[in-house]
Amino acid sequence: MADAEALFAAVLDATADAVMVTDRAGTICRINPAFHRLTGFPSDALVGRDARELFSEINSAEFCDELWTEDGDTRFYPSVRSKHADGRAQLHALNMTPIQDSAGQPSRFVAVILSDSFQSDAASGETRRVGYDALTNLPDRTLLADRVEQNILNAKRANKSIALLVMGLDRFTVINDALGYAAGDILLHEVAERLAKVIRTSDTAARLDGDKFAVMTPISAIDDSVIVAEKVLAAIKKPFTIRGEEVFVTFSIGISIYPTDGETFDDLLKDSLSAMQFAKASGGAGYQFFASDMNAKARNRLSLEKRMRAALVNKEFLLYYQPKMDATTGKVKGGEALIRWQDPQHGFIGPGEFIPVAEETGLIVEIGTWVMREACFQIKKWQDMGYEPIRMSVNVSAHQFKAKDLLDKVKSALADSGLEAKWLELEITESMLMNDVESAIARMQAVRDLGCGLSIDDFGTGYSSLSYLGRFPITTLKIDRAFIRDVQENQNTKEIARAIIGLSRGLNLEVVAEGAEILEHVEFLRDNGCDVIQGFYFSKPLDVKAFEAKLSKKAS
Ligand code: C2E
Ligand code: MG
Ligand code: MG
């Protein structure tokens, strides 16, 4: 223990970064020599004092409180002002880490001021980082150029794309004139903070000059850049409070893509700037791609989102039901509810076209709630009509599964329709479970506690570790149709399908095969002990009337 303490002290002494340790309340317990050098305060002048005093007045009170929030891991603040002992403010980056004691309780905070984040600026009296803009402490144009070129090299090797978004505030001169330049500076600083918050760690947000900012983001599809643009637009939509006044601002964003629009930073910047001018000319508060056919694609996506919202209101969605057959008796054992969209203008639209967009925009939560309710009411109706009860599954997307009110929604769908929980099954996919396994298991258990079935859809396509499978409180595994499709041609796939069936049986799970299209598929599955088969061989998804015709009446 004494060794550990001595080692800890030696590390603190040796590091060039300024380190301050506080208790939960923010009272300073310890600082290292670098902290003394960077802030000018000797240790005995600080220990025992409230660390907020170092940051107050020059930062907002909310910001000071946020520093000492206890949840989460290390937080990075790119631009923090702190007070130097001689009274001047200094600008630098700060890492804040909440520390837990051995019992897992929050006990301490470690604040680290990164040593490379300083450089004296004689003119302004402030200290600042090389490569960083003095006002916002975001990377400046030179550093952005560097990062973009670096990312271009990586992207070239990996055959990937990059988007460069350039954004200018609409009507910034009007705001500047109305509130004064100092207020304008505060606004720019706050805009920069919001920008830094919405981007991912792999992205770079920078200030180019004046009211112009930029974000560089590696992308795997054009849509990714639209998502970033929309996040940025949404982030600055909320009003800013500048000197007690609410200020509303918007961005015009221009987007260019490596390698389609340019292969160097200079080319991309030029393209993005001209796209931004175009966005401004089209009324601002929006984005434009440099390449015009991208605009058409983005508009399509946007109009799809609008049309989906309208479709919910106008009741244009409907459910089809695909039978799941008992492999031995050949009777309908259950079904899966699959959404369809009857658009008055564009006709019949399959889920492959709109579900991904609904997921990106979050609209899937509302759509999914509708699906769950509609399915519950329909199953109950069939039961009331005297048909043999069957279990129906509905697909639940990641957004829905993570939503806090998932259970409430399931409960009210059941209660309102009068359906018993055991006739409803939720289908989720592996990828939804792997991020945070423990909390996913808790959610799954809660669904099971209600009495509903729970299955893993498209099994085998995600990357779930088999070791978790035994811990997942599921009732059913659905083998992805890719495995069934190739069973004829590919010996390996066949073995995998066989192994999944064996695994499910070993774990006492029901196993459902998707996508059985021909007799050979069905025979293979039957021979290998797969209980339930869903696929075109037996039936395509059917509308209510056609599905009903497949149900058998209860013997009375
Ligand atoms: P999924 O959940 O894996 O649904 C099975 C899909 O396989 C359905 O496509 C079904 O028509 C298709 N299928 C069934 N048997 C066969 C077959 O023998 N051969 C072939 N080639 N395909 C077969 P569908 O209805 O187009 O749905 C596609 C996906 O859209 C679904 O995949 C599901 O992920 C999603 N989806 C559908 N409805 C909903 C919904 O209400 N909510 C959510 N979140 N997603 C949904
Ligand atoms: Mg499914
Ligand atoms: Mg599936």
Side-chain angles (χ1 to χ4, degrees):
M1 195 61 209
D3 281 354
E5 169 59 29
L7 180 64
F8 176 58
V11 171
L12 274 188
D13 286 355
T15 180
D17 294 330
V19 181
M20 167 173 77
V21 182
T22 78
D23 66 9
R24 284 181 70 178
T27 307
I28 300 173
C29 313
R30 180 168 192 162
I31 65 168
N32 73 344
F35 198 92
H36 159 65
R37 279 196 304 279
L38 289 175
T39 62
F41 291 106
S43 179
D44 48 9
L46 286 181
V47 170
R49 277 171 59 182
D50 186 347
R52 287 179 187 79
E53 290 172 24
L54 288 172
F55 302 99
S56 57
E57 293 161 45
I58 35 185
N59 298 285
S60 70
E62 294 85 12
F63 177 75
C64 291
D65 285 336
E66 188 192 321
L67 284 178
W68 276 272
T69 344
E70 285 173 347
D71 37 59
D73 299 328
T74 300
R75 295 182 298 265
F76 175 68
Y77 301 93
S79 103
V80 174
R81 288 188 162 76
S82 69
K83 263 184 261 178
H84 189 273
D86 66 11
R88 88 196 132 86
Q90 38 189 17
L91 192 63
H92 51 72
L94 179 76
N95 263 336
M96 193 71 170
T97 310
I99 307 280
Q100 298 179 339
D101 64 16
S102 53
Q105 292 304 309
S107 68
R108 293 260 194 289
F109 286 88
V110 176
V112 179
I113 298 176
L114 304 171
S115 62
D116 73 346
S117 68
F118 281 93
Q119 201 218 341
S120 294
D121 180 344
S124 68
E126 278 201 341
T127 31
R128 70 183 195 92
R129 286 201 274 177
V130 192
Y132 290 78
D133 165 58
L135 177 67
T136 61
N137 216 20
L138 287 180
D140 59 16
R141 185 194 185 113
T142 318
L143 183 53
L144 174 72
D146 232 45
R147 297 244 178 112
V148 172
E149 295 290 356
Q150 190 59 44
N151 271 272
I152 286 177
L153 285 181
N154 294 341
K156 204 171 265 168
R157 242 177 279 128
N159 240 335
K160 291 258 165 69
S161 298
I162 296 168
L164 180 66
L165 289 76
V166 167
M167 44 216 90
L169 286 170
D170 298 321
R171 301 176 305 114
F172 183 61
T173 42
V174 180
I175 294 166
N176 246 343
D177 290 347
L179 298 176
Y181 286 101
D185 279 358
I186 299 178
L187 176 65
L188 291 173
H189 186 255
E190 305 236 323
V191 166
E193 293 219 315
R194 288 200 195 168
L195 210 54
K197 269 200 187 123
V198 295
I199 62 165
R200 299 171 303 177
T201 43
S202 52
D203 303 345
T204 296
R207 179 169 178 229
L208 294 177
D209 54 57
D211 64 342
K212 283 205 273 321
F213 296 85
V215 169
M216 181 238 7
T217 174
I219 55 171
S220 39
I222 298 296
D223 267 5
D224 294 346
S225 59
V226 173
I227 294 171
V228 177
E230 279 174 0
K231 267 206 253 168
V232 168
L233 290 173
I236 69 154
K237 212 170 173 179
K238 284 167 247 147
F240 293 86
T241 311
I242 308 291
R243 297 196 167 144
E245 276 198 62
E246 278 204 340
V247 178
F248 291 85
V249 294
T250 52
F251 263 142
S252 290
I253 305 180
I255 308 173
S256 67
I257 309 286
Y258 164 89
T260 3
D261 300 329
E263 303 223 350
T264 63
F265 171 72
D266 287 341
D267 283 348
L268 291 173
L269 184 62
K270 202 166 74 242
D271 295 346
S272 293
L273 281 168
S274 84
M276 184 192 81
Q277 288 312 332
F278 195 55
K280 277 196 193 280
S282 331
Y287 55 86
Q288 285 287 340
F289 283 95
F290 177 69
S292 53
D293 58 331
M294 300 289 169
N295 290 322
K297 280 196 193 125
R299 256 197 300 280
N300 259 339
R301 190 176 163 281
L302 212 62
S303 97
L304 193 60
E305 185 188 342
K306 280 203 192 109
R307 278 162 45 214
M308 275 192 283
R309 284 186 197 284
L312 270 170
V313 177
N314 302 335
K315 305 197 164 43
E316 291 162 17
F317 290 119
L318 63 157
L319 291 185
Y320 267 41
Y321 299 89
Q322 187 175 29
K324 294 178 188 162
M325 311 301 282
D326 186 312
T328 40
T329 65
K331 281 175 74 173
V332 177
K333 191 168 185 200
E336 175 174 10
L338 295 158
I339 194 167
R340 300 290 182 263
W341 180 4
Q342 185 65 56
D343 183 347
Q345 273 173 24
H346 300 78
F348 208 70
I349 309 178
E353 266 183 72
F354 63 91
I355 291 287
V357 179
E359 278 178 6
E360 277 167 24
T361 55
L363 204 57
I364 190 68
V365 176
E366 272 168 77
I367 295 178
T369 307
W370 175 84
V371 169
M372 186 126 54
R373 294 184 65 83
E374 179 71 15
C376 287
F377 276 90
Q378 185 59 60
I379 317 163
K380 181 66 166 79
K381 195 166 164 197
W382 279 323
Q383 292 180 1
D384 291 345
M385 288 165 78
Y387 290 106
E388 209 56 83
I390 53 161
R391 184 152 86 183
M392 188 65 75
S393 61
V394 296
N395 294 285
V396 170
S397 81
H399 257 96
Q400 255 179 300
F401 186 64
K402 285 197 192 111
K404 285 204 181 68
D405 56 358
L406 169 77
L407 283 193
D408 290 339
K409 287 196 169 142
V410 178
K411 272 190 222 160
S412 63
L414 292 169
D416 295 348
S417 62
L419 184 74
E420 264 185 279
K422 65 175 175 185
W423 303 118
L424 179 68
E425 175 179 297
L426 307 189
E427 291 192 6
I428 55 184
T429 57
E430 290 162 86
S431 52
M432 289 150 65
L433 305 174
M434 298 320 292
N435 259 343
D436 182 354
V437 175
E438 295 310 321
S439 82
I441 291 178
R443 268 159 197 285
M444 296 166 95
Q445 189 59 51
V447 170
R448 289 299 309 286
D449 290 344
L450 285 181
C452 296
L454 190 62
S455 70
I456 297 193
D457 201 358
D458 306 338
F459 184 76
T461 56
Y463 298 93
S464 65
S465 152
L466 286 181
S467 60
Y468 284 121
L469 207 52
R471 292 186 57 208
F472 290 155
I474 51 174
T475 49
T476 309
L477 264 195
K478 294 187 78 176
I479 313 175
D480 191 70
R481 65 168 174 270
F483 295 105
I484 312 302
R485 188 183 53 213
D486 292 351
V487 144
Q488 287 322 102
E489 290 86 40
N490 190 327
Q491 187 61 27
N492 289 341
T493 328
K494 196 167 178 170
E495 286 312 321
I496 295 175
R498 238 186 225 133
I500 298 178
I501 298 171
L503 184 70
S504 325
R505 294 174 66 102
L507 291 168
N508 243 334
L509 300 173
E510 178 189 53
V511 50
V512 179
E514 301 184 301
E517 294 185 346
I518 51 177
L519 183 62
E520 282 77 6
H521 295 162
V522 174
E523 281 174 343
F524 166 81
L525 290 164
R526 210 181 270 149
D527 292 347
N528 285 283
C530 176
D531 314 329
V532 188
I533 302 176
Q534 174 182 355
F536 293 171
Y537 177 78
F538 291 109
S539 171
K540 298 206 157 165
L542 304 169
D543 66 17
V544 172
K545 277 275 152 276
F547 188 83
E548 200 171 299
K550 300 239 171 209
L551 294 173
S552 26
K553 281 276 181 188
K554 220 155 136 181
S556 49

